């Protein structure tokens, strides 16, 4: 894990305006030589930051940057009325925020971990989560629940609905959907994903790590590097977002949604889910570690399991898997003659 040195923070906050700053100007302000400034810049480059320039020409970020800041996040949370005690672990670079919180001891206080970049960001099914420096949200929260694991069935769906509520504030809700259980899509492109991991279970006590990645300020060039269609808030709105405000809103919504969930389970979320269910009535294949099932998605049951009507007319209730849309022409029923529409 890496934290910024005071000099690096000073340099980044200077360069954050997107203007060019000469090495001698920066050195004079910091009371260090131009060479020392260059050494610090090289360390920032190693974190994955793009900084144009040389000691002679000066340094410049390709675009303005607002760094994550614990104080700003806390102030925003207070504005939203959330003053509960919480511990914030904020880093310049980490392997994975989910992995980090696994090593933190269990606590009744909410533990939050955020970072500017992840070197080994993890997605579902062992996939890599691309985490370029300073552009997006990479955040995990460790929650302590005084209940059985069985009580938490459907939690992933509630997390997705909380992320959707957070993003709906930016006027983009008309095209936001959720692909069961936790892909947030905008016009079929992935905007956010979450990774929920249960890490301890004892007598009526469960710790859960909820990791959330939201593509915020990355430009579409970043999507080109990925194997599936992705998009960011910047792609949708052409606006630069202060991730501190977004993070505070995410924490606020998750806190609220999880409180409702703990007391009432999935019932209050069933109708909201139906309105944003991307898969509903589509022909899909659900891939699991050892098999796959194809059929028509028919929503979810009361515990959040996916209902899938297969080609033989059998309804399956499925608790996990990776769903993909399947062209209906490739599907046939038992006799091989008739296909789904
Ligand atoms: C997925 O859609 O496959 C889940 C993506 C989850 C990514 C987030 S980023 C913050 C947290 N730390 C991780 O290593 N993964 C999650």
């Amino acid at each position: 894990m890496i934290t910024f040195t005071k000099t690096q923070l000073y340099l980044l906050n200077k360069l954050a305006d997107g203007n060019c700053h000469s090495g001698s100007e920066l050195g004079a302000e910091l009371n260090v030589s131009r060479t020392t400034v260059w050494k610090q810049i090289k360390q920032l480059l190693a974190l994955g930051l793009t900084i144009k320039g040389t000691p002679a020409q000066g340094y410049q970020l390709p675009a303005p940057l607002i760094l994550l800041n614990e104080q700003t996040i806390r102030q925003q949370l207070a504005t939203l009325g959330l003053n509960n005690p919480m511990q914030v672990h904020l880093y310049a670079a980490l392997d994975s925020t989910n992995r980090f919180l696994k090593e933190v001891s269990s606590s009744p206080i909410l533990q939050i971990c955020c970072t500017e970049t992840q070197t080994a960001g993890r997605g579902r099914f062992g996939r890599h989560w691309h985490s370029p420096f300073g552009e997006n949200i990479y955040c995990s929260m460790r929650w302590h629940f005084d209940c059985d694991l069985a009580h938490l069935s459907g939690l992933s769906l509630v997390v997705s609905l909380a992320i959707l509520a957070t993003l709906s504030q930016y006027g983009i809700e008309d095209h936001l959907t959720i692909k069961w259980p936790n892909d947030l899509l905008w016009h079929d492109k992935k905007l956010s994903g979450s990774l929920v991991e249960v890490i301890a279970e004892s007598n009526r006590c469960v710790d859960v790590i909820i990791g959330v990645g939201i593509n915020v300020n990355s430009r579409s060039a970043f999507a080109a590097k990925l194997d599936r269609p992705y998009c960011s808030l910047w792609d949708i709105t052409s606006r630069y977002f202060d991730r501190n405000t977004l993070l505070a809103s995410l924490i606020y919504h998750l806190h609220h949604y999880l409180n409702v969930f703990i007391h009432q389970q999935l019932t209050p979320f069933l109708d909201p889910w139906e309105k944003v269910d991307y898969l509903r009535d589509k022909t899909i294949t659900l891939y699991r570690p050892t098999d796959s099932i194809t059929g028509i998605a028919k929503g979810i049951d009361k515990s959040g399991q996916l209902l899938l009507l297969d080609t033989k007319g059998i309804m399956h209730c499925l608790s996990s898997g990776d769903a993909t849309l399947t062209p209906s022409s490739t599907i046939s029923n038992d006799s091989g003659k008739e296909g789904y529409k």
Side-chain angles (χ1 to χ4, degrees):
M1 77 188 77
I2 296 174
T3 42
F4 291 122
T5 63
K6 276 194 179 153
T7 310
Q8 287 168 347
L9 263 181
Y10 184 89
L11 290 172
L12 275 175
N13 284 319
K14 267 313 268 197
L15 296 175
D17 60 9
N19 295 328
C20 184
H21 296 268
S22 77
S24 37
E25 166 205 333
L26 295 168
E29 287 170 17
L30 283 162
N31 209 13
V32 296
S33 69
R34 249 172 43 164
T35 318
T36 306
V37 171
W38 172 226
K39 280 186 186 149
Q40 295 290 325
I41 294 279
K42 278 202 286 195
Q43 284 176 14
L44 290 173
L45 290 170
L47 286 178
L49 253 117
T50 308
I51 303 174
K52 294 186 281 185
T54 61
Q57 293 162 337
Y59 306 104
Q60 188 171 19
L61 291 173
L65 167 72
I66 302 174
L67 287 176
L68 294 174
N69 181 293
E70 179 175 343
Q71 215 186 336
T72 315
I73 297 168
R74 286 190 184 273
Q75 276 163 2
Q76 300 277 351
L77 281 170
T79 311
L80 293 169
L82 190 63
N83 294 301
N84 300 37
M86 52 185 82
Q87 194 168 355
V88 178
H89 309 264
L90 181 55
Y91 290 99
L94 267 183
D95 52 353
S96 150
T97 53
N98 265 39
R99 206 278 315 145
F100 176 88
L101 283 187
K102 275 189 189 167
E103 319 252 296
V104 166
S105 34
S106 181
S107 159
I109 293 174
L110 175 62
Q111 303 285 317
I112 301 174
C113 177
C114 320
T115 183
E116 294 287 2
T117 181
Q118 296 185 121
T119 51
R122 294 190 291 122
R124 291 176 75 224
F125 307 108
R127 292 193 187 110
H128 174 70
W129 188 258
H130 186 54
S131 313
F133 187 98
E135 297 183 5
N136 304 317
I137 285 180
Y138 321 112
C139 172
S140 300
M141 286 157 243
R142 180 164 169 161
W143 300 76
H144 179 78
F145 295 106
D146 286 317
C147 66
D148 292 334
L149 183 57
H151 200 82
L152 299 180
S153 147
L155 173 66
S156 289
L157 280 56
V158 176
V159 169
S160 299
L161 285 168
I163 303 172
L164 188 132
T166 307
L167 297 176
S168 292
Q169 301 169 107
Y170 301 104
I172 60 166
E173 63 274 22
D174 283 354
H175 301 286
L176 280 182
T177 52
I178 304 173
K179 181 157 91 63
W180 182 91
N182 63 353
D183 280 358
L184 237 107
L185 306 181
W186 185 81
H187 274 299
D188 299 346
K189 292 182 181 173
K190 187 150 165 174
L191 180 59
S192 167
S194 52
L195 182 64
V196 176
E197 297 181 282
V198 176
I199 57 148
E201 191 190 350
S202 64
N203 227 355
R204 295 193 54 79
C205 277
V206 184
D207 270 25
V208 174
I209 295 175
I210 298 171
V212 179
I214 305 178
N215 302 326
V216 184
N217 294 315
S218 280
R219 312 285 159 113
S220 24
F222 126 102
K225 290 186 205 153
L226 304 167
D227 53 348
R228 292 172 178 220
Y230 277 73
C231 70
S232 69
L233 285 178
W234 195 93
D235 293 331
I236 301 168
T237 63
S238 301
R239 265 180 62 195
Y240 180 84
F241 284 80
D242 180 349
R243 291 166 299 145
N244 295 298
T245 314
L246 203 56
L247 249 172
S249 177
L250 174 70
I251 296 165
Y252 169 82
H253 280 100
L254 273 170
H255 196 271
H256 175 62
Y257 276 55
L258 291 188
N259 261 326
V260 174
F261 176 64
I262 278 303
H263 292 108
Q264 301 178 50
Q265 293 189 275
L266 209 53
T267 314
F269 300 103
L270 294 174
D271 282 348
W273 178 270
E274 205 176 319
K275 293 195 179 84
V276 295
D277 183 353
Y278 174 79
L279 297 178
R280 194 169 179 103
D281 292 328
K282 290 185 176 139
T283 302
I284 67 160
T285 300
L286 190 84
Y287 294 92
R288 300 188 292 187
T290 53
D291 65 356
S292 66
I293 309 181
T294 296
I296 299 180
K298 289 290 174 195
I300 55 168
D301 69 6
K302 284 193 169 63
S303 60
Q305 298 193 98
L306 179 74
L307 298 172
L308 191 61
L309 184 64
D310 76 11
T311 46
K312 293 176 188 158
I314 298 167
M315 188 70 89
H316 299 259
C317 302
L318 302 155
S319 58
S320 71
D322 193 15
T324 54
L325 299 188
T326 306
S328 47
S329 57
T330 63
I331 317 291
S332 61
N333 70 4
D334 227 8
S335 68
K337 286 181 196 148
E338 213 175 290
Y340 277 126
K341 65 181 165 94

